[in-house]
Amino acid sequence: MERSSPLFTNTKFVFLCATFCCLLWGSAYPAIKNGYELFHISPDDIPSKMVFAGYRFLLAGIVLLIFAVACGKSIGRMKPAHYKQMVILGLTQTSLQYVFFYIGLAYTTGVKGSIMNATGTFFSVLLAHYIYQNDRLSFNKVIGCVLGFAGVMVVNFSPDLTDFTFTLVGEGSVVLAAFILSAATIYGKRISQHMDSTVMTGYQLAIGGLALTLGGYLFGGDLNEFGWKALLLLGYLVLLSSVAFALWSLLLKYNRVGMVAPFNFLIPVSGAVLSAIFLNESILEWKNALALLLVCGGIWLVNRIKQV
């Protein structure tokens, strides 16, 4: 896949791949919540959630590494510094981020979780301002961030605007996960410039997944129900992670962030719609529609390139 860089710079192909990745990530919200039910994981059973997430990412990483070997890529001939970087990336982008993500999603709805996780786009913009000299904050980016966070505030109000529901363990954990992912993604983009992105993604998923699995079992977690429905769902999450993360890493490697990032608006939209369909959650409330509009408008403004 790395040798096909012209393909990954083709505008139409980039559009299709980025859209596909975001639809997959959006489907993760209802899939994870259904997974809690199929594996009989209670909302307060954090260790078992870690085991659930660990299996998903460990298997996804192994799938990617096997794919890399099948494509003739070396997965063992790297500098010691690269291994250290992948350990750091795996423990942050996969382990730490998904600990908070899985916890938060257990204490909020799929619709709210998908919308609030979109704050990651705005965190990326703010972090890039201090890291890259050619990616400073602009008027559009500031207004976009304001709109995005306004959307996050709106979705936490009750329909009659009399009650504001925001819990640190629920919505707060989802937002923290989004921040961790934003910081780790910027770090991963730098690593991908010096090594194969598929191998990098495979290692970081496997390392992060292993840490989640061991940590979950260490604190008393377990998965006791392995019915065919549960296994099929776990298999879907494994393929979702391996395919989406690998494709997205390649898109970021060969294209400007500003070209790929606008597609992120599809994640809260698809996540909210799919959660409404598969979890019977309400998306027709005016506040959910307004929140989606604000978040998507903010993401569009943040990534809008001024025409000259």
Side-chain angles (χ1 to χ4, degrees), residues 1 3 66-73:
M1 294 175 70
R3 297 192 185 99
I66 292 175
F67 176 74
V69 172
C71 292
K73 299 176 181 178

PDB file of all heavy atoms in Angstrom, residues 1 3 66-73:
ATOM      1  N   MET A   1       0.817  -1.206   0.000  1.00  0.00           N
ATOM      2  CA  MET A   1       0.000   0.000   0.000  1.00  0.00           C
ATOM      3  C   MET A   1       0.851   1.256   0.000  1.00  0.00           C
ATOM      4  O   MET A   1       0.501   2.263  -0.583  1.00  0.00           O
ATOM      5  CB  MET A   1      -0.932   0.003   1.220  1.00  0.00           C
ATOM      6  CG  MET A   1      -1.982  -1.103   1.170  1.00  0.00           C
ATOM      7  SD  MET A   1      -2.988  -1.177   2.663  1.00  0.00           S
ATOM      8  CE  MET A   1      -3.948   0.321   2.483  1.00  0.00           C
ATOM      9  N   ARG A   3       3.605   1.739  -1.549  1.00  0.00           N
ATOM     10  CA  ARG A   3       4.136   2.049  -2.871  1.00  0.00           C
ATOM     11  C   ARG A   3       3.092   2.695  -3.771  1.00  0.00           C
ATOM     12  O   ARG A   3       3.388   3.163  -4.842  1.00  0.00           O
ATOM     13  CB  ARG A   3       4.648   0.749  -3.523  1.00  0.00           C
ATOM     14  CG  ARG A   3       5.808   0.081  -2.784  1.00  0.00           C
ATOM     15  CD  ARG A   3       6.423  -0.994  -3.643  1.00  0.00           C
ATOM     16  NE  ARG A   3       7.453  -1.716  -2.925  1.00  0.00           N
ATOM     17  CZ  ARG A   3       7.277  -2.896  -2.345  1.00  0.00           C
ATOM     18  NH1 ARG A   3       6.082  -3.488  -2.417  1.00  0.00           N
ATOM     19  NH2 ARG A   3       8.264  -3.508  -1.717  1.00  0.00           N
ATOM     20  N   ILE A  66       0.009  -9.014  10.206  1.00  0.00           N
ATOM     21  CA  ILE A  66      -0.027 -10.165   9.293  1.00  0.00           C
ATOM     22  C   ILE A  66      -0.209  -9.684   7.857  1.00  0.00           C
ATOM     23  O   ILE A  66       0.439 -10.189   6.925  1.00  0.00           O
ATOM     24  CB  ILE A  66      -1.166 -11.129   9.681  1.00  0.00           C
ATOM     25  CG1 ILE A  66      -0.851 -11.793  11.021  1.00  0.00           C
ATOM     26  CG2 ILE A  66      -1.372 -12.186   8.596  1.00  0.00           C
ATOM     27  CD1 ILE A  66      -1.978 -12.668  11.554  1.00  0.00           C
ATOM     28  N   PHE A  67      -1.060  -8.691   7.683  1.00  0.00           N
ATOM     29  CA  PHE A  67      -1.275  -8.119   6.352  1.00  0.00           C
ATOM     30  C   PHE A  67       0.010  -7.490   5.823  1.00  0.00           C
ATOM     31  O   PHE A  67       0.343  -7.625   4.642  1.00  0.00           O
ATOM     32  CB  PHE A  67      -2.383  -7.073   6.412  1.00  0.00           C
ATOM     33  CG  PHE A  67      -2.610  -6.352   5.122  1.00  0.00           C
ATOM     34  CD1 PHE A  67      -3.249  -6.976   4.058  1.00  0.00           C
ATOM     35  CD2 PHE A  67      -2.192  -5.027   4.967  1.00  0.00           C
ATOM     36  CE1 PHE A  67      -3.455  -6.308   2.854  1.00  0.00           C
ATOM     37  CE2 PHE A  67      -2.402  -4.360   3.776  1.00  0.00           C
ATOM     38  CZ  PHE A  67      -3.022  -4.998   2.717  1.00  0.00           C
ATOM     39  N   ALA A  68       0.744  -6.798   6.707  1.00  0.00           N
ATOM     40  CA  ALA A  68       1.997  -6.169   6.295  1.00  0.00           C
ATOM     41  C   ALA A  68       3.006  -7.217   5.838  1.00  0.00           C
ATOM     42  O   ALA A  68       3.688  -7.043   4.818  1.00  0.00           O
ATOM     43  CB  ALA A  68       2.566  -5.337   7.439  1.00  0.00           C
ATOM     44  N   VAL A  69       3.118  -8.308   6.585  1.00  0.00           N
ATOM     45  CA  VAL A  69       4.034  -9.390   6.211  1.00  0.00           C
ATOM     46  C   VAL A  69       3.616  -9.999   4.876  1.00  0.00           C
ATOM     47  O   VAL A  69       4.453 -10.289   4.013  1.00  0.00           O
ATOM     48  CB  VAL A  69       4.069 -10.475   7.309  1.00  0.00           C
ATOM     49  CG1 VAL A  69       4.861 -11.687   6.834  1.00  0.00           C
ATOM     50  CG2 VAL A  69       4.689  -9.915   8.576  1.00  0.00           C
ATOM     51  N   ALA A  70       2.309 -10.205   4.671  1.00  0.00           N
ATOM     52  CA  ALA A  70       1.797 -10.767   3.422  1.00  0.00           C
ATOM     53  C   ALA A  70       2.111  -9.874   2.227  1.00  0.00           C
ATOM     54  O   ALA A  70       2.258 -10.354   1.096  1.00  0.00           O
ATOM     55  CB  ALA A  70       0.291 -10.993   3.524  1.00  0.00           C
ATOM     56  N   CYS A  71       2.246  -8.576   2.495  1.00  0.00           N
ATOM     57  CA  CYS A  71       2.565  -7.616   1.429  1.00  0.00           C
ATOM     58  C   CYS A  71       4.074  -7.463   1.235  1.00  0.00           C
ATOM     59  O   CYS A  71       4.525  -6.602   0.472  1.00  0.00           O
ATOM     60  CB  CYS A  71       1.945  -6.258   1.729  1.00  0.00           C
ATOM     61  SG  CYS A  71       0.149  -6.233   1.635  1.00  0.00           S
ATOM     62  N   GLY A  72       4.869  -8.275   1.963  1.00  0.00           N
ATOM     63  CA  GLY A  72       6.316  -8.238   1.814  1.00  0.00           C
ATOM     64  C   GLY A  72       7.009  -7.160   2.612  1.00  0.00           C
ATOM     65  O   GLY A  72       8.172  -6.835   2.337  1.00  0.00           O
ATOM     66  N   LYS A  73       6.320  -6.605   3.599  1.00  0.00           N
ATOM     67  CA  LYS A  73       6.925  -5.543   4.408  1.00  0.00           C
ATOM     68  C   LYS A  73       7.608  -6.139   5.639  1.00  0.00           C
ATOM     69  O   LYS A  73       7.153  -7.137   6.193  1.00  0.00           O
ATOM     70  CB  LYS A  73       5.850  -4.541   4.847  1.00  0.00           C
ATOM     71  CG  LYS A  73       5.153  -3.858   3.690  1.00  0.00           C
ATOM     72  CD  LYS A  73       4.034  -2.964   4.173  1.00  0.00           C
ATOM     73  CE  LYS A  73       3.318  -2.305   2.998  1.00  0.00           C
ATOM     74  NZ  LYS A  73       2.195  -1.454   3.427  1.00  0.00           N
TER      75      LYS A  73
END
